[in-house]
Amino acid sequence: LYDVVERRIRCYRDHFGTRPLYYFLADDIFIFASDIKAILATGLVDESIDQSKLEDFLVGNLASQERTFYKNVKRLRAGTFIQVTPDSVQHRTWWAVDSETILDGSDQDLIAGFRERFLQAVGNRLSDTAQTAFMLSGGLDSSSVVASAAHIAPERVKSFKSYSVEFPYLPESIRARTDESEYVDAVIAETGVTDTRLMGENESPLSSLTKMLQIQDEPFLVPNAYLDSIALTAVHSDGCKVLLTGLEGDLTISHGDGYLNELGFAGRWDLFAKESRALADRTDSDPALFVERYGMQTLEQLAQSVEWAAFRR
């Protein structure tokens, strides 16, 4: 949003960071885009690599939501905006999950409430007109989405298409530990959705690495992301316009340990300590480990961002 009169520009990133927003900021120029490659294509940005980001990547430290592998390119955090004027730069949070809501009730009431919300979430995403597709791995996440869609719209179930990637060529010793096709079969038999099986041998992590880096713009942590590429190509070629997956369903339900990062960045250290102790009790760990892994990285980021008020808190 650009205010011509005030010479003020605001860039917002969506609630959950579904799309990235990158930017480069110097004394006399502000460049932003949804892809790093677009920023670099201007020829105005030094492409130096952020060495500390590379080191963090190699040890699995994912605390920073703002740093990229390029020292001069930053990423806007989800649910935040950056405001730039000729005289100032401000970062503000415009949306955050209300984590204070506590639902009272018996276990059965809470289960029923969750089921109602889950069905509503799936139903809201089923299109009445566009061809709808589903990723189906056989795991709980994607299986729950497919089964819910069939429950909500049984009259349309034959028009639903599921896509599963399989690996029949793997040695039996490996397949015995990783093959989930029997669960895919069970979901298909129960729901009656149209079944599409794809072979994972058509590509490999190395053969598709160049293409994946072109899409991601940076090194990425998910080595099997190329499997999504196989499935998405099939979904696209079949003309499907709506795609539902179970991606990160477990993190959505448990909120993941990234919750500690969010609490740190929000300055809610009392709750950070409480959650760290609870997690330590559950995993028989030392709470100091969570402070070291999540708290220290948050403090480093606040210092690097010159957020001294938040750092002091």
Side-chain angles (χ1 to χ4, degrees):
L1 301 177
Y2 183 48
D3 186 325
V4 179
V5 176
E6 298 290 336
R7 297 187 66 200
R8 178 181 65 204
I9 189 167
R10 284 184 176 181
C11 294
Y12 291 78
R13 191 170 175 199
D14 64 270
H15 304 68
F16 298 107
T18 303
R19 281 290 289 170
L21 197 156
Y22 301 100
Y23 66 92
F24 166 74
L25 183 63
D27 291 339
D28 59 348
I29 190 170
F30 176 54
I31 304 172
F32 62 92
S34 55
D35 294 279
I36 293 178
K37 63 176 71 70
I39 294 177
L40 300 181
T42 65
L44 301 173
V45 181
D46 181 1
E47 299 184 16
S48 298
I49 300 299
D50 185 338
Q51 188 69 28
S52 61
K53 172 67 175 181
L54 179 59
E55 293 169 357
D56 285 345
F57 176 80
L58 294 175
V59 298
N61 176 17
L62 310 179
S64 173
Q65 299 181 49
E66 293 188 320
R67 287 160 55 208
T68 73
F69 281 87
Y70 296 92
K71 188 180 299 183
N72 296 304
V73 180
K74 305 301 180 184
R75 179 189 296 106
L76 199 63
R77 293 206 300 267
T80 66
F81 72 86
I82 181 173
Q83 176 176 286
V84 181
T85 72
D87 305 313
S88 66
V89 178
Q90 294 179 316
H91 288 81
R92 292 286 186 271
T93 297
W94 67 268
W95 184 88
V97 173
D98 180 8
S99 58
E100 295 301 320
T101 302
I102 299 176
L103 301 178
D104 293 322
S106 67
D107 287 350
Q108 291 305 313
D109 289 340
L110 295 175
I111 290 170
F114 175 84
R115 183 177 187 273
E116 178 184 355
R117 286 164 174 78
F118 189 86
L119 289 171
Q120 180 182 5
V122 174
N124 286 347
R125 287 156 179 79
L126 297 179
S127 172
D128 292 330
T129 56
Q131 177 67 62
T132 302
F134 302 84
M135 296 287 204
L136 179 58
S137 69
L140 277 176
D141 304 336
S142 60
S143 297
S144 298
V145 173
V146 174
S148 296
H151 173 78
I152 294 167
E155 74 284 355
R156 296 170 49 203
V157 73
K158 291 298 182 183
S159 69
F160 292 155
K161 292 185 176 182
S162 71
Y163 294 81
S164 308
V165 182
E166 296 188 338
F167 311 89
Y169 54 88
L170 291 176
E172 185 59 35
S173 59
I174 297 179
R175 289 190 61 198
R177 292 185 290 109
T178 61
D179 186 13
E180 294 182 311
S181 59
E182 65 176 296
Y183 306 113
V184 174
D185 294 340
V187 173
I188 297 300
E190 180 67 25
T191 62
V193 303
T194 301
D195 181 23
T196 304
R197 305 293 173 103
L198 306 167
M199 294 298 105
E201 63 186 333
N202 297 330
E203 291 191 38
S204 74
L206 295 181
S207 68
S208 60
L209 184 59
T210 299
K211 179 175 72 172
M212 296 303 299
L213 286 173
Q214 288 173 345
I215 296 170
Q216 298 282 347
D217 278 343
E218 300 181 276
F220 50 95
L221 282 167
V222 185
N224 62 347
Y226 75 99
L227 298 176
D228 291 328
S229 176
I230 295 174
L232 291 172
T233 299
V235 169
H236 177 70
S237 63
D238 287 347
C240 298
K241 301 299 183 182
V242 177
L243 175 64
L244 280 69
T245 80
L247 183 65
E248 305 290 18
D250 49 352
L251 288 182
T252 304
I253 301 306
S254 73
H255 205 51
D257 50 9
Y259 183 43
L260 297 176
N261 287 137
E262 295 179 19
L263 293 175
F265 279 114
R268 304 175 65 185
W269 292 104
D270 288 345
L271 189 53
F272 177 99
K274 179 181 178 181
E275 294 288 346
S276 294
R277 292 191 191 100
L279 193 56
D281 289 342
R282 182 177 178 184
T283 58
D284 195 24
S285 305
D286 184 347
L289 294 176
F290 300 103
V291 176
E292 179 181 348
R293 174 153 190 176
Y294 300 100
M296 291 305 295
Q297 279 76 13
T298 303
L299 293 172
E300 289 175 7
Q301 290 303 303
L302 292 173
Q304 292 173 1
S305 302
V306 201
E307 297 282 353
W308 295 120
F311 183 89
R312 282 193 295 272
R313 285 197 299 272

